[in-house]
Amino acid sequence: MRWWQRSMMVGSWNSLREIEIAPGVFAHASGALIVREQRTILLVADVHLGYGWAQRRRGQLGPVQDAGVHQKLHALIDELSPESIVFLGDVVHAPNPAPQERALVERTLASLAARVEIVAVRGNHDRAFARDYASLGIRTAEHWTGTGLIAIHGDRLPNGPSTERVVMGHLHPAVAVRDDAGSSRRIPAFLVGPRVCVLPAFSPLAAGFDISSGLPPDIKALFGPGAIAVMAATGNRVVRLPARL
């Protein structure tokens, strides 16, 4: 049994709705990162809106739904009252949306924009986002900066060390948990180092990268030497696991 399977099963951990990972920066149980400066800002990675419809267009016959992402985002606003949401790439799953797919994405983003400011950092799935959803008037950017932070998607990594903490998505990190009956699931997880934080995918439909196999070399190099903390985001709480990568 791996350390995170044992830790998640026996319950010997510190668990809260949010855990401070740097001054004014908190990992939240939903998988979002909270930045509390003069105002509250939420960083959310890999929402993949329209996933079900995009897969249907490719011939797959899975359910055409967003796994409650719309409700999850609004519940987060209700709980934390942010002024802004910054999407760290892969806001949508595919370009050239079908009519039903476009309607789902536009409904979700328009309802959010009525409540908070939105910034969309471009991810590899967002190559046509600005064109496909120009009518929404959402600001797009290659990166976002806050106090001591630079937020990117993560499909392209910084060249060399950064003086700011790098916050990114793209990897979809998760911990694998198996019960006594042999059933297993992957729980989204934050990876936190002294200068880097990787967010879990916010969409429940985005399959997680099982960190038991280790990190990709380029991601590991970005973290540099030293331990990487793992914090599982269960939806109800964020769990600081006792071991390190």
Side-chain angles (χ1 to χ4, degrees):
M1 183 181 293
R2 298 188 178 102
W3 58 262
W4 43 81
Q5 295 173 347
R6 183 168 59 252
S7 299
M8 295 294 288
M9 290 173 66
V10 303
S12 57
W13 58 70
N14 174 27
S15 61
L16 302 163
R17 285 293 289 169
E18 58 188 62
I19 294 176
E20 191 167 23
I21 65 168
V25 181
F26 301 80
H28 188 265
S30 64
L33 197 70
I34 309 168
V35 180
R36 292 191 172 105
E37 299 176 330
Q38 291 84 7
R39 57 196 184 116
T40 299
I41 304 165
L42 300 182
L43 275 57
V44 176
D46 300 288
V47 176
H48 289 271
L49 293 173
Y51 176 89
W53 281 111
Q55 296 302 90
R56 177 66 58 88
R57 288 194 283 120
R58 292 167 180 167
Q60 297 187 22
L61 298 178
V64 183
Q65 43 87 19
D66 69 353
V69 171
H70 178 105
Q71 292 83 356
K72 186 179 176 184
L73 286 165
H74 280 283
L76 200 56
I77 295 174
D78 291 341
E79 177 184 351
L80 300 172
S81 301
E83 293 189 25
S84 303
I85 293 180
V86 180
F87 289 105
L88 300 190
D90 293 358
V91 180
V92 296
H93 190 65
N96 305 312
Q100 303 96 325
E101 185 180 345
R102 179 186 297 278
L104 182 151
V105 173
E106 289 183 342
R107 182 171 64 252
T108 297
L109 293 178
S111 66
L112 294 172
R115 303 185 67 185
V116 297
E117 176 191 27
I118 295 177
V119 178
V121 173
R122 280 183 283 270
N124 53 301
H125 282 255
D126 299 321
R127 56 190 180 276
F129 176 81
R131 180 201 68 199
D132 290 339
Y133 299 98
S135 63
L136 295 175
I138 291 174
R139 179 161 66 94
T140 61
E142 294 300 324
H143 65 271
W144 175 88
T145 57
T147 302
L149 301 175
I150 181 166
I152 61 175
H153 177 55
D155 54 324
R156 291 175 292 176
L157 299 178
N159 295 319
S162 172
T163 58
E164 300 166 298
R165 178 182 288 269
V166 176
V167 179
M168 55 179 276
H170 186 61
L171 183 64
H172 304 193
V175 294
V177 178
R178 185 179 301 275
D179 64 20
D180 291 337
S183 298
S184 65
R185 61 171 294 197
R186 293 182 180 182
I187 298 178
F190 294 88
L191 305 180
V192 181
R195 305 300 304 172
V196 180
C197 176
V198 180
L199 273 59
F202 194 80
S203 170
L205 298 176
F209 175 84
D210 184 358
I211 61 173
S212 65
S213 57
L215 300 181
D218 56 346
I219 302 293
K220 184 69 174 176
L222 183 65
F223 274 97
I228 301 172
V230 180
M231 300 180 187
T234 71
N236 294 318
R237 57 193 174 191
V238 59
V239 179
R240 189 192 301 272
L241 298 178
R244 301 289 186 267
L245 288 175

